[in-house]
Structures are given as structure tokens and as C-alpha cells.
Amino acid sequence: MRHDHLITSKQLSRADIERVLDYAAEIDADPSAVADRHADKLLGLLFFEPSTRTKMSFETAMKRLGGDVVDMGSVESSSVKKGETLADTVRVIEGYTDALVLRHPKQGAPAMASEFVDVPLLNAGDGAGHHPTQTMLDLYTIRENAGLDDLTIGIMGDLKYGRTVHSLAYALSNFDARQHFISPESLQLPREVVYDLHQQEGAQVREHEAIDEVLPSLDVLYVTRIQRERFPDENEYQQVAGEYQIDVDTLEAASDDLTVMHPLPRVDEIAPEVDETDHAAYFEQAHNGVPVRMALLDLLLREGGDGDE
Amino acid sequence: MRHDHLITSKQLSRADIERVLDYAAEIDADPSAVADRHADKLLGLLFFEPSTRTKMSFETAMKRLGGDVVDMGSVESSSVKKGETLADTVRVIEGYTDALVLRHPKQGAPAMASEFVDVPLLNAGDGAGHHPTQTMLDLYTIRENAGLDDLTIGIMGDLKYGRTVHSLAYALSNFDARQHFISPESLQLPREVVYDLHQQEGAQVREHEAIDEVLPSLDVLYVTRIQRERFPDENEYQQVAGEYQIDVDTLEAASDDLTVMHPLPRVDEIAPEVDETDHAAYFEQAHNGVPVRMALLDLLLREGGDGDE
Amino acid sequence: MRHDHLITSKQLSRADIERVLDYAAEIDADPSAVADRHADKLLGLLFFEPSTRTKMSFETAMKRLGGDVVDMGSVESSSVKKGETLADTVRVIEGYTDALVLRHPKQGAPAMASEFVDVPLLNAGDGAGHHPTQTMLDLYTIRENAGLDDLTIGIMGDLKYGRTVHSLAYALSNFDARQHFISPESLQLPREVVYDLHQQEGAQVREHEAIDEVLPSLDVLYVTRIQRERFPDENEYQQVAGEYQIDVDTLEAASDDLTVMHPLPRVDEIAPEVDETDHAAYFEQAHNGVPVRMALLDLLLREGGDGDE
């Protein structure tokens, strides 16, 4: 990457993405080669929203590179509740660390924050905005299981609010991928995202309300969680959610090679019985967060650094 | 140990226990010999209930072995509150780490979780169930102070709800120990635990409502906290709790060699004046958590691991 | 230092302070020289009150010395809420670690706690009492920017409740410094602090309600936050707070060499436009927490330790 910060997957070209994925694969094959790479480096973790897997996998990645983390902790236990601005918080913490990871409920917060700091800053999710490291591990998992060329992918569930889905869709438009978006009408992709995707040269985007018509053609099915709180009425939620659940019966109509993914946590979208099938790739997907984030951290710490390594 | 996971002290034979205690003593005598033993290893901490000393001593133990930890954090700040199952959580986190430590309010949760993971899993307390690493440090402390052979021990306080007490009682039944259980009638050992203990060959178990009759014969007195919330009536609590408190006066009837233990935290069960006497072993007991957990972690990481060390 | 614990800046002589500042400057110039100094050491973090920068900078300092930390976590997730005394908590945790850092809402808590432990204990702020490591980084920043000899300093804002201000004032009375205290009448320095300062040989202390009369003479202006919750009436707060805010217009009356400091977090006391001027030293000040705490930790770990290094 020729970037000091990682804010959105939109900033990454196909060549950038492939470079990261290649490097992640190299690390995955031999993690010991980088086990002491950043032995004296500290990564600042600033999570203004709860997170388990993103935070833990960043921490794991940094420690697998020989480095360590310094964690701001929860907002409740920090100075944030004394009224400090985000610009002040990041300017203080950059003085302690060699890079920053920031998750924030407000869309655009990481982009704003990155203008105040000299160390590399990685966006770990901003509201309904972007989540570029999740996108990279999704792409890595797709490439390992189905390949990124001549790909037919279905993306299903809550497509309206999910930053994970938007980030992935933008990134996939760099590749030769047929994207099918499957959701109830009330949770369709935002119109501006569809518009953006159609602007891309060669983009192949279609929307569906039911999975049946596209399932047999899919190489990858990417399922997301439909959140109860999006629905004013519990009955409506139950009915809608029920139509977008995957189980072994559903998958009988799919290709034997279908890869099922999910950013996790899941609730009822994928039945536990699917875990035992060869389709299930969602735990592998979560685990891929480590080599992918190791690759991203290493590239940013080496290039975004002060050149003294 | 010939086990991949450590779930309950019932799974440990006398030989298993002695092997761990011997190794803990070896580590305690020369911690520097293992200070880099697990330099590239990560331990996942999953505490679904508050904990100070168990969590901190596991973290200390792992770091004293040269390794590091990755902490899920509190349930409030994690994906658990989004409705993720424990089986999913442990399967994600095992991908980041080389072993897992799990505390959970539901009895049986660690046993269930261990069936979903390939890395070693250690139970750090499950509801009213088991707490095997606490038991091992209790046994270690008893052995150092009074010996495990020909032992007369009194276990006093809340015997009904305390997993620490149940775990210890089962483990002691492997040894030549006379166990006296002292509690108000309402907080007696559960009948099934008494039944189990009597099934053990050579078990020597007696129950008492007052400490006076047994105190002079004891080598060790193990005190536990009587929790206010177990009593519907505050007056009844005050009266009962008062009868099971230890101070310097109480101890005049005891042997000079009596060792007083407590799993901590204490409230009023042991008067601060006892701290200054030679009887007090409860801080030493807490500190023993480090070499004992170092021994357990090292044994599980080496034997439960992927054999590449 | 000839001390095992660091409880208050009052315990430090001018020679003590200069030794620490000199050593911090040495570390700041070449941190790599101490990067593995305490590779097998653990620092226990006991924060009974929220903190971002103090806690993170202690953690950073320890890790920059090659060591690691073990964190008690928030009070809500610890045994403290089970009713454990502070004396018990520190006696347990000292068994895990090589030194302790303690922040506590009750004034005097660190002094009390230090009597129960053998490892060095550092006060990280106790109620309205002391905050000696903050004072040391303040002195370091003053020395780097304006020098500690022949100093004219203005200390402005909430002088009544701020432990930071009291600690700094006591420490400055060791030097040839003219101290001007600027605050609304209701937030003046406590009378006993003024009394104490006047007892110091050569102390030069004056109090003001407005900054105008002293601003032109100042080498350093140390601004603190006026807390809304100190005022029963919102209008009164707004009016008072407004009079003690610094912006570019205010600073036109100041010397070009004026250094503006703030312990952070700030709310409205210093306008963001000041950040871009050469006066602003508050982020540098926060960053100085790392070398200063590295120096303090190293001195205490080497001298307060068991002599086996």
C-alpha cells in the first residue's frame, strides 16, 4: 500500500488488495518468519464501541508479530466521558504508540481522526460506514475457497445497515465478480451504494428478495445477521428473519462446492447443523483475521513508520 | 496429565495431582528456568463472570512463562450480548490462541465448550460446579504447610454453594485425609456431594455445626465466606456469620501448628489480627496460584499442543 | 530516590526531582538503551477510578522497558465489589507482580496501602490528594520549555479540587519559581495549601481573580479544567468558565515564548486554534508521561527490588 492510514476499502486498488492477500498467505504459511518483526512496537486500541473478534484479532495479530498493545478500554472507564474530543484523544495516544486502531459509532470518525495523527491509523469499523480489515479477511477467505476470478457470490440478510456488506461490495467491484444481493425489501442495499457499484466499469450487480432463484449458481453465499431491533413489530421480524435462514435443507439446492460465509456473531441465520458440512467457512473466516491483520499491520508499520527500521 | 482439557478435579488421580504439585514446587524454586518456555504462545481469557485473583493469576502465570494473553473483556463489551452462543465464541477465539481459560456462571459450560475446541481448555470456575485450578493451589498450600498425608482438615463456612469447597473435598478424598465440614445447617454440603465422598474408598468425612469440638485436632482450617445474599433475613445472617468467624481468641484452642486458609476475598470471616500470626497462610495461598497455574499451563500447552515444540 | 514507594511529591527533594528529570531526558534521547531493562518484570495496575492517559502511559512506560502489566480491571468486574478491603487486594496482587500502581478515589489510600506491601507502590492519583507522577511530567515539560530556574508560572482554573495543581505547587516550591494562582474566588487554592506554601523558605506565591494582570509576565501558563458539576447553577458555570478560557486573542498579550500547558482532558478551556501555535505544549506534556514514568519505574524497580539484579 502507498497509504499511511487504512480508512476505507475504496482506497484500495486491485493491485493493493492482491498484494495484501498474497502477503497474508505467506504469513499464514510460515508465521514464525515474522514472529519478532515488531518486537518493540506498540499498537493503540481505541474501541468506542463493543467488539470481540475484531479487537481480539487485532491484538492477536500484533502479538504474533512480536509487538504488544495498549488498550484505551471501554468508553465508560476513559476520559471520553469527561468530554474530551476524539481529535484530542488520538493526539494523546499517538504519543504512546506506533500505530492506532480505531472503532467508532460515528461514520467518518476514523477519516477525521487520521488527519490529526502522524502514526498509521486503521479503521476497525465506523458506524454504517466502512470496515476495511473485515473486507480484506473476507476477500482472503473467498480467494482461498472459491477464487476471486469468475466469481458468483450471493450476499444475504441486512444489506441496508451493514458496513461489512458495503465495504465488501465496493472491494469486489475490482474483480470479475457477479454480485447477487438478497434481502427483504426493507433491508435492501442503500440506493447510493447500488448507484456507486453500477458506476464501476464492468460491475455485475443484481438484487433479489428470495434466495431460491440464485442459490444453485453461487460459488459463495455470504450471510449476515438481521437485527431484531430494525423491526418495530416482533411478528414481522420473526417472519422476515425466518425467510433468510440457512439450514441443511436449504443447501440441498446449492452446488456441492458452495462456500458459506458469515462475519459473525450469528444468531439464527445459519443452523448449527451446517457447521458440520463442507460448506461452512465462517470459523475459518474469523481465524483468517489474524494473518490478514498481521499483513496489514506489518505493511503499515514498515511504510507508515519513521523510516528507522 | 494425560488430558487435553482441565474441567474438574474429579478427573485427576492422586498421581496426576502429585505430578502437578511437584512440578509447581520445581517452578517456584527456580522460575527463571521456564521464563521463556512459551514465548510465542497466547492464552485466551474468557471470563463470563467477574474475577480478580483467578484472572490476574492466570495472566501472571502465562506471562511468567514468557507468553502473553488475549482477553475477551467483560460480557458487556463483547459480542456475547448480541446473542452469540458459547460454542461459537470459543470456536472463534481458539483460532487466535493456543489455549483457553473459561469462567462461566453456568455449571457444565466448560465441559460443553471443551467439546468444540482443539486447543486445551481450562475451567476457571463454573457456577456451583468446579474450580480445579483453585483446588490445585489449595492442595499445594496444604502440602507446603501441613503435608497431604495423615491430614486433619476442617472446612468451614458456606459449604452449600461453594464450588471451591466441593472441588477441594473431591480432590482430598484421594489422600489419607480426615475431612471435617463445619457450617450452619442451612449451608451444609449438598447431600449428593456427601454421598459421593462416602463412595470413595477410605473417605473419612464428618459434619459439624460448631467448630469448638474439632478445632484442637485440626492441622488445617479452611475458611470460606458466608454470603449475605444467601439469607432472606439480615438478622439471621448476622447471627450465623458471627458464629463462623475466626479471631485470635478463637485460635487459642487450636494447635500451634494450625494453618488457616481462605480462598479470598474475605469480608469478616477472619479478623485482620490473625494476619500477623503464624497461622495465616491465605496470602501465601493466593500467591501459590502463580506457580501452580504455570505448571498446569505448561503441561497442557506441551501435551495438548500440536507437538511442534 | 531513596524511597521504596512514590506517594506524594512532598517526599521528593530538589535533588530527587532533578535526578529523575535528568534520567527521563536520558531515556527520551535513547529509549533503546533501556528497551529490555525489565524483560521479566510485571507491573500491577490497580485503578479504582477511570483513567485514560495515566493508565495508558504507565502501561506504555512499562512495556517500553521490556516489561509487562497485569491489570485489575474495573472495580465493577473485580472482587472489590464483594467487599474486599484495599489492604487485602494489594497484598494479594503484590504476590503476582514486581511493583504496583494505585489510583483511588480516597485521599490517603496509597499511603495506607503502601504499608501492607513489600514491592514498590506508585500513587497514580488519590482523590483530592496527590498525583506525583503527573507532577514529575509537568516539571519535565516546564524544564524542557522554559527552565525551572527563575521561572514565572501562572496556574489557572479549578485550584480548589485539583490534586494535579496541589502536587505541582508543592514541587515548584523547591525551585526559584514565582507562582501566580488565577481562579474565581469559589475555586481558590485551599487555605491550608497556601499556608503550607508560605511556610517554604523563599516561596513566592500570589493569588489573582483575573489573568490580565499577570499574563504578560508569564513564562508558563498551566490551565486546568473547571468542572461543570462544581456549580449548582448552570448560568454561573457558563459565566465563570468563560472568563478562564484561552484563545488566540487572549494570547496576544502574552510573551512570544509563553508555554501553555494543560494536564488534559480539556473541554473548552483552551480553544483548538491555540493547538497550531508555538505556545501549545499540552500534547507534548502528555507524551512526556512515558519517559518520565519509565525513569520512575526503572529507579523504583532497581532500588525497591530484592536486589537480585
Side-chain angles (χ1 to χ4, degrees), chain A residues 40-44 62 93-100 118-120 300-301 304-306, chain C residues 64:
Chain A
D40 293 330
K41 290 289 197 303
L42 293 177
L43 178 66
M62 191 62 186
I93 298 177
E94 78 157 333
Y96 305 154
T97 58
D98 302 288
L100 299 174
D118 292 323
V119 301
L300 284 166
L301 281 167
D306 50 9
Chain C
R64 297 281 188 210

Side-chain angles (χ1 to χ4, degrees), chain B residues 30-213:
Chain B
D30 181 17
S32 67
V34 293
D36 296 312
R37 176 64 58 90
H38 294 290
D40 292 330
K41 290 288 196 305
L42 293 178
L43 178 66
L45 302 179
L46 290 80
F47 280 75
F48 288 78
E49 272 190 338
S51 163
T52 300
R53 70 207 70 241
T54 300
K55 188 172 167 183
M56 290 183 87
S57 87
F58 263 116
E59 181 169 352
T60 300
M62 190 63 187
K63 291 178 171 178
R64 296 284 187 207
L65 290 167
D68 208 337
V69 304
V70 184
D71 185 356
M72 186 186 75
S74 69
V75 171
E76 287 68 35
S77 71
S78 80
S79 287
V80 174
K81 68 170 195 180
K82 294 178 189 163
E84 185 171 65
T85 65
L86 179 60
D88 276 15
T89 301
V90 294
R91 273 182 289 185
V92 168
I93 298 176
E94 78 158 330
Y96 305 154
T97 59
D98 302 288
L100 299 175
V101 173
L102 173 63
R103 165 167 293 189
H104 202 279
K106 285 213 184 117
Q107 190 169 347
M112 183 280 286
S114 71
E115 291 174 21
F116 286 90
V117 297
D118 292 323
V119 301
L121 185 147
L122 295 92
N123 177 7
D126 58 323
H130 297 277
H131 195 357
T133 65
Q134 176 73 42
T135 298
M136 295 302 280
L137 74 90
D138 289 342
L139 294 173
Y140 184 84
T141 307
I142 294 168
R143 194 171 77 160
E144 295 277 308
N145 285 276
L148 279 164
D149 293 315
D150 191 23
L151 172 73
T152 303
I153 185 169
I155 303 181
M156 184 171 85
D158 177 354
L159 310 181
K160 185 172 183 181
Y161 300 99
R163 60 190 170 209
T164 297
V165 165
H166 308 165
S167 276
L168 180 59
Y170 285 119
L172 281 172
S173 65
N174 285 301
F175 296 86
D176 178 22
R178 288 166 295 282
Q179 301 191 52
H180 295 278
F181 293 94
I182 307 141
S183 71
E185 198 185 348
S186 63
L187 294 176
Q188 280 182 339
L189 275 187
R191 289 307 92 188
E192 66 272 23
V193 174
V194 176
Y195 177 82
D196 282 356
L197 292 174
H198 278 298
Q199 294 307 102
Q200 298 276 338
E201 197 180 342
Q204 304 166 66
V205 172
R206 286 187 59 194
E207 298 181 86
H208 311 262
E209 285 198 41
I211 190 174
D212 318 21
E213 59 201 80

Side-chain angles (χ1 to χ4, degrees), chain C residues 34-306:
Chain C
V34 292
D36 297 311
R37 177 62 60 89
H38 294 290
D40 293 329
K41 291 288 198 302
L42 294 177
L43 178 65
L45 302 179
L46 289 79
F47 280 75
F48 288 78
E49 272 189 338
S51 160
T52 300
R53 70 207 70 245
T54 300
K55 188 172 167 184
M56 289 184 87
S57 88
F58 263 115
E59 181 169 351
T60 300
M62 190 63 186
K63 291 179 172 179
R64 297 281 188 210
L65 290 168
D68 207 337
V69 303
V70 184
D71 184 355
M72 186 185 75
S74 69
V75 171
E76 287 68 34
S77 71
S78 80
S79 287
V80 174
K81 68 170 193 180
K82 296 180 189 162
E84 185 171 65
T85 65
L86 180 60
D88 276 15
T89 301
V90 295
R91 274 182 289 185
V92 168
I93 298 178
E94 79 157 331
Y96 305 153
T97 59
D98 302 288
L100 298 174
V101 173
L102 174 62
R103 165 167 292 189
H104 202 280
K106 286 213 184 117
Q107 190 168 346
M112 184 279 286
S114 70
E115 291 173 22
F116 286 90
V117 296
D118 292 323
V119 301
L121 184 146
L122 295 93
N123 177 7
D126 58 323
H130 296 277
H131 195 357
T133 65
Q134 175 73 42
T135 298
M136 294 303 280
L137 74 89
D138 289 342
L139 294 173
Y140 184 84
T141 308
I142 293 168
R143 194 171 78 160
E144 294 279 307
N145 284 275
L148 279 164
D149 293 314
D150 191 25
L151 172 74
T152 303
I153 185 171
I155 302 181
M156 183 169 87
D158 177 354
L159 309 181
K160 185 171 183 182
Y161 298 99
R163 60 192 170 206
T164 297
V165 164
H166 308 165
S167 275
L168 179 61
Y170 284 120
L172 281 171
S173 67
N174 285 301
F175 296 87
D176 179 21
R178 288 166 294 282
Q179 302 190 53
H180 296 278
F181 294 95
I182 307 140
S183 72
E185 198 184 348
S186 61
L187 294 177
Q188 280 182 340
L189 274 187
R191 290 306 91 189
E192 67 271 24
V193 174
V194 176
Y195 178 83
D196 281 354
L197 293 174
H198 279 297
Q199 296 306 103
Q200 298 276 340
E201 195 180 342
Q204 305 167 65
V205 174
R206 286 188 56 198
E207 297 180 86
H208 311 262
E209 285 197 42
I211 190 173
D212 319 20
E213 61 200 80
V214 290
L215 182 56
S217 70
L218 299 181
D219 302 310
V220 172
L221 174 61
Y222 193 105
V223 183
T224 66
R225 187 162 54 102
I226 293 182
Q227 294 179 44
R228 184 174 261 107
E229 53 270 32
R230 303 298 184 203
F231 291 84
D233 184 80
E234 173 71 18
N235 286 336
E236 195 191 338
Y237 162 74
Q238 291 293 353
Q239 193 200 324
V240 167
E243 287 174 28
Y244 297 89
Q245 283 169 0
I246 295 297
D247 57 22
V248 164
D249 282 352
T250 327
L251 293 176
E252 277 182 11
S255 154
D256 285 349
D257 294 332
L258 176 72
T259 297
V260 177
M261 295 173 60
H262 192 297
L264 303 181
R266 68 170 157 178
V267 182
D268 298 315
E269 308 86 59
I270 301 177
E273 65 193 20
V274 178
D275 302 358
E276 308 306 316
T277 71
D278 289 340
H279 299 298
Y282 25 93
F283 293 116
E284 171 196 336
Q285 180 186 358
H287 300 170
N288 286 337
V290 177
V292 168
R293 292 188 172 105
M294 287 172 76
L296 288 165
L297 285 170
D298 185 38
L299 292 169
L300 284 167
L301 281 167
R302 282 193 291 163
E303 301 182 11
D306 48 10

Side-chain angles (χ1 to χ4, degrees), chain B residues 266-307:
Chain B
R266 68 170 158 179
V267 183
D268 298 315
E269 308 86 57
I270 301 176
E273 65 192 18
V274 178
D275 302 359
E276 307 307 317
T277 70
D278 288 340
H279 299 298
Y282 26 92
F283 293 117
E284 172 195 336
Q285 179 187 359
H287 301 171
N288 286 338
V290 177
V292 168
R293 291 187 171 106
M294 288 172 76
L296 287 165
L297 286 170
D298 184 38
L299 292 170
L300 284 167
L301 282 166
R302 283 194 288 163
E303 300 180 11
D306 49 12

